[in-house]
Amino acid sequence: MSRVAFRLRVRPDCIEAYEEAHRRVWPEMLQLLKDVGITQYSIFRRGVDLFLFLHVDDFERAWNVLDKHPVNQRWQQAMKPLFEPLTELEGGERFPMMKEVFYLE
């Protein structure tokens, strides 16, 4: 099981809408995340910066399945207007990935 972290940025005028959407994540979206092997998924926010952390067996495989699934496609369309454009992506990245430098179990 891999621990994965990345960051995103919500638009300043969309913070409340973003948080409201995550208070009411669709049950079918939650099940889909579990079905692709994502567990212990947390999103933290400070100002407009989001830090996302999750456990997953294979991040790329999970996201490839999510990309093609109609439930996730609808969710992404609903969320897309709330985000700042992704910047600082390194070659082949979907998200600005964080490097784990310390872990205490």
Side-chain angles (χ1 to χ4, degrees):
M1 183 70 61
S2 298
R3 292 180 307 278
V4 177
F6 55 97
R7 63 183 177 78
L8 297 172
R9 182 164 286 152
V10 67
R11 291 183 27 208
D13 58 326
C14 295
I15 290 171
E16 183 54 39
Y18 180 83
E19 290 192 0
E20 179 62 27
H22 285 82
R23 285 190 286 272
R24 294 175 171 39
V25 177
W26 311 331
E28 61 270 29
M29 187 66 208
L30 296 173
Q31 186 60 53
L32 178 59
L33 293 169
K34 292 176 184 178
D35 290 348
V36 299
I38 294 174
T39 63
Q40 299 183 39
Y41 192 175
S42 296
I43 302 173
F44 298 88
R45 184 182 67 78
R46 179 178 175 122
V48 296
D49 293 319
L50 302 172
F51 173 78
L52 299 88
F53 174 84
L54 55 97
H55 286 201
V56 63
D57 287 326
D58 183 333
F59 182 78
E60 286 302 318
R61 184 195 63 75
W63 243 264
N64 285 334
V65 172
L66 289 171
D67 282 345
K68 296 172 187 161
H69 199 285
V71 170
N72 183 60
Q73 290 171 354
R74 282 194 346 257
W75 180 260
Q76 294 307 320
Q77 284 296 352
M79 295 294 103
K80 186 176 181 175
L82 308 180
F83 289 104
E84 293 287 346
L86 293 175
T87 60
E88 302 174 17
L89 293 176
E90 295 182 10
E93 283 186 325
R94 328 176 153 259
F95 306 109
M97 303 304 290
M98 307 292 288
K99 176 184 174 184
E100 183 175 67
V101 296
F102 176 78
Y103 175 69
L104 173 67
E105 186 168 354

